[in-house]
Amino acid sequence: MTGKELYFKKFFKDRSLKILAMFFADFSRSQFSCVTGSKLELHSSYLSRAIKTNQDLLPETPWIHIFYNDFWGTLLTHSGSHKSYRPFCTLSFRINHAIGGMDPWGYHLVNILLHAAVTGLFTNFSRILFGDGYWTLIAGLLFASHPIHTEAVAGIVGRADIGACLFFLLSLMCYVKHCSTRSSSARTWGWILGAGLCAGCSMLWKEQGVTVLAISAVYDIFVFHRLKMHQIIPALYKRKNLNLFFSIGLLTSWGTALLGVRLYWMGNKPPSFSNSDNPAADSDSFLTRMLTFLYLPTKNLWLLFCPDTLSFDWSMDAVPLLKAVSDWRNLHTVAFYAGLFLLAYFSLKGSSNERECNGKSIMNGKQNANGHSCHSEMEYKTVEGKSSFASKEENGIKKHEIPKLQLPSTENIVILSLSLLIVPFIPATNLFFYVGFVIAERVLYVPSMGFCLLVTVGVRALYVKAQKRFLKNLVFFSTAALIVFYGLKTVVRNGDWQNEEMLYRSGIKVNPAKAWGNLGNVLKSQSKISEAESAYRNALYYRSNMADMLYNLGLLLQENNRFAEALHYYKLAIGSRPTLASAYLNTGIILMNQGKTEEARRTFLKCSEIPDENLKDPHAHKSSVTSCLYNLGKLFHEQGHYEDALTVYKEAIQKMPRQFAPQSLYNMMGEAYMRMSRLPEAEHWYVESLRSKSDHIPAHLTYGKLLALTGRKSEAEKYFVKAIQLDPTKGNCYMHYGQFLLEESRLIEAAEMAKKAAELDNTEFDVVFNAAHMLRQASLNEEAEKYYEMAAGLRPNTSQS
């Protein structure tokens, strides 16, 4: 080999390594510098964490993991877990994913079918209370059309509430069957077992499902047995209705067991939330916390009664804190609790001998309505194992047989309705533990059943009290108008849920900071850069310390090469949340690209030392930390410190989460070993890179070079050709294949590859300059001159060109 040939061989080897390094840099930037920080988004982020990035949905993840992780795929005992244990809902998502992947159509279809099933069950349950008349239809239509359900049905993650409600009703219906067969059938204990199992299933869809056991007890005491408050203790003392109290004892024991297991399974620790999730819970003032928490149920009831203003998110300052007794909203609180107390008091006490049954006025149980007997002061008694009914009168007790199918009185239904409205809502009241939201419309899905029953029984009472036909018609048609208005509002609200942009725009008046921030993410995904930037700045105008929003704005600026501004916002984001690893990652990448290697190294190191304790999304945090270590290793690699690079790469492998894509990391491990002439280790990591991602182009190129170096020429050529096939638009792929052909003395073929590379990457000096040399080697001097001239134009001050 002549001196000239040796020179060219060395030149091409060095130049080729430089091009490959450049290719790695471009690839790593696309993979690691754009770690999205959309954690601020409620629905798109919840959807992303619950479905898109939830590893528990993937077929390669053992399905048993679902029962150890929370709703978002985080280990339930992790300090940053939301403790939202909903394995049945996650399992339904996994089935959806297995059938249709990420196609949203299937997910929405399941939600709609579940809502239809819940509506049917609720209507069937209403029939037990109102009979076969139109009052049952009204209750069912109110539930089916209520706008508050839009979030639960239209939002995919709202499936947890619908599924919980489905099994809630199944459990309640089983207990109703248990009550009606308690003394006459051996199957009665099968029904109560079914009620308990369905209650457990409801809790495994969503936590509030366990409250059905309390509702079942209310039904048994106040509806089936028609006991008044003052009768419960004497009945217990005199050992009457032992079957009733035995059933209540079973319900209590089962509920206690479920809650105990639930608490143990989540590590015996409550979840922790940021102050923006629930500002009242974070307040130092007891008065502020008390007044705000007392007011929030009032606000929720108003949303049920008049769902005029709805929003995808009510966190942050959507409901301003009540900081003083003089706040006029306290009047709403007083009126709400006073009305609730009076309604409960008169219903529990019982007032008049005149009752109504299914829209017909009756006196002392004489009137029959819709084929059902209705009695005013009824209670079930168990005598010698047989069920009978006793009708109490003022002067003595008159016993007589009553038809088995018995409709409850208005007072009975009101008590059940109030319990169904209040009890499932108790977990959201912050009474026993703080929750991660201010108001959540989806949480009202189960309580809305109590509201619909309460409205129906109230309308029925008005209808009965009205003496004139005109007034009766007015009550009936007003109710019909309410159902129509609810239905129209539901249609309008569904329009808001058609896409993310419409949803977030609809929430601007309620929660401008969150809505503008999420809208900015949507506009950015649509490549509306200036509008997205404006939306981010609007969000920061309303709440300037949102770390996620500061990060998102910095990311937008970085992607548009406004690096100084991006660094400013990344530093503000880190100042607002020192644990935001993705901000450290992109800060380090910018500094590294600006040549500030020492500052970049310190930034990456600081990021790698941040623990994932008490972080809401530990998986995303670990991914950012792994990316920081990858870039730190690449920094050492470029400086020639291959041992240090390998140490950092190995640490990255130890820390990377399951969902992290490791192909680039493995490939750089192989490169470091190859630079140290440890070829067997290099080959191992190249193979690992291809195993983790079979279409990873850099690994094809690097492994091809290794195969060529070790004499396996035919195998090497296959990998170079495969790299070109994977992405025919990458000039680097042609350049590396050309270098291989040149070393094989296939000069004409090498020249062809060089020309294709230069045509595709005609702005890259190294590619164009290398192409000119290859053409010159093939004695294609005129074309070589053309590319030398092009290279000189790209770098006029470079003596080589």
Side-chain angles (χ1 to χ4, degrees), residues 161 164-165 168 172 202 206-216 218 415-429 433 435 437 442-451:
D161 296 88
C165 191
F168 187 103
L172 189 55
S202 183
K206 193 170 183 180
E207 298 77 8
Q208 68 185 133
V210 73
T211 59
V212 68
L213 298 173
I215 304 301
S216 298
V218 170
I415 290 301
L416 181 65
S417 302
L418 285 175
S419 66
L420 195 50
L421 175 66
I422 296 169
V423 175
F425 184 71
I426 287 176
T429 60
F433 50 82
V435 296
F437 54 85
R442 61 190 177 276
V443 171
L444 295 173
Y445 190 86
V446 175
S448 69
M449 294 190 294
F451 173 80

Side-chain angles (χ1 to χ4, degrees), residues 546-565:
M546 292 189 293
D548 296 291
M549 202 49 52
L550 291 164
Y551 171 79
N552 285 341
L553 179 55
L555 185 61
L556 178 75
L557 296 169
Q558 179 185 0
E559 290 173 352
N560 287 276
N561 300 322
R562 295 160 64 180
F563 299 116
E565 294 175 85

Side-chain angles (χ1 to χ4, degrees), residues 609-795:
E609 294 167 356
I610 301 173
D612 64 350
E613 295 298 317
N614 299 315
L615 297 182
K616 287 195 295 185
D617 194 352
H619 295 310
H621 172 80
K622 288 178 180 178
S623 292
S624 296
V625 168
T626 304
S627 298
C628 275
L629 289 168
Y630 168 86
N631 281 280
L632 178 60
K634 192 156 69 73
L635 185 64
F636 286 137
H637 190 105
E638 291 172 357
Q639 293 174 340
H641 306 315
Y642 303 121
E643 287 285 359
D644 292 335
L646 281 171
T647 301
V648 173
Y649 290 149
K650 289 174 182 177
E651 183 182 353
I653 290 172
Q654 290 176 348
K655 290 186 175 182
M656 69 179 180
R658 280 189 301 138
Q659 77 274 13
F660 189 83
Q663 60 273 6
S664 292
L665 181 56
Y666 293 162
N667 196 47
M668 288 303 294
M669 286 273 288
E671 269 295 282
Y673 278 119
M674 191 168 177
R675 292 295 183 95
M676 297 167 64
S677 299
R678 295 166 62 177
L679 302 186
E681 291 98 326
E683 182 169 4
H684 167 76
W685 288 107
Y686 288 149
V687 171
E688 285 297 314
S689 178
L690 290 170
R691 183 179 289 122
S692 62
K693 192 173 190 295
S694 59
D695 59 350
H696 187 52
I697 296 173
H700 280 81
L701 297 176
T702 51
Y703 191 35
K705 290 179 70 65
L706 176 65
L707 291 170
L709 188 64
T710 55
R712 290 173 279 178
K713 306 291 185 178
S714 59
E715 288 183 70
E717 185 168 4
K718 289 178 183 178
Y719 280 95
F720 288 125
V721 172
K722 180 65 175 178
I724 293 172
Q725 291 172 348
L726 289 170
D727 192 351
T729 64
K730 281 285 185 185
N732 283 322
C733 297
Y734 294 98
M735 182 55 66
H736 284 90
Y737 186 34
Q739 170 63 27
F740 169 78
L741 294 171
L742 186 66
E743 291 175 355
E744 294 298 298
S745 299
R746 294 158 64 179
L747 301 181
I748 300 300
E749 294 175 79
E752 287 297 317
M753 292 298 109
K755 285 168 62 177
K756 287 183 180 178
E759 288 169 5
L760 290 168
D761 292 342
N762 54 20
T763 59
E764 296 289 347
F765 172 81
D766 291 300
V767 173
V768 174
F769 191 70
N770 218 3
H773 272 293
M774 286 189 183
L775 290 164
R776 183 179 174 187
Q777 283 289 93
S779 300
L780 300 173
N781 294 328
E782 290 184 6
E783 293 185 74
E785 183 179 357
K786 169 187 169 184
Y787 286 106
Y788 276 132
E789 185 178 0
M790 190 183 296
L794 291 171
R795 290 188 187 174

Side-chain angles (χ1 to χ4, degrees), residues 498-520:
Q498 281 187 353
N499 57 62
E500 287 185 309
E501 183 174 351
M502 293 178 66
L503 179 65
Y504 298 143
R505 289 191 185 279
S506 72
I508 288 175
K509 62 182 177 181
V510 174
N511 193 344
K514 184 71 72 69
W516 277 116
N518 286 318
L519 184 59

Side-chain angles (χ1 to χ4, degrees), residues 55-87:
Q55 297 297 298
D56 289 342
L57 270 59
L58 303 179
E60 58 266 24
T61 302
W63 66 271
I64 198 68
H65 284 197
I66 292 173
F67 294 92
Y68 291 92
N69 295 335
D70 66 14
F71 192 47
W72 321 110
T74 303
L75 190 65
L76 199 63
T77 54
H78 188 275
S79 58
S81 170
H82 276 231
K83 311 297 184 184
S84 303
Y85 187 58
R86 303 163 191 173

Side-chain angles (χ1 to χ4, degrees), residues 530-541:
S530 60
E531 293 178 55
E533 182 179 348
S534 177
Y536 287 143
R537 294 189 186 278
N538 284 339
L540 292 169
Y541 170 80

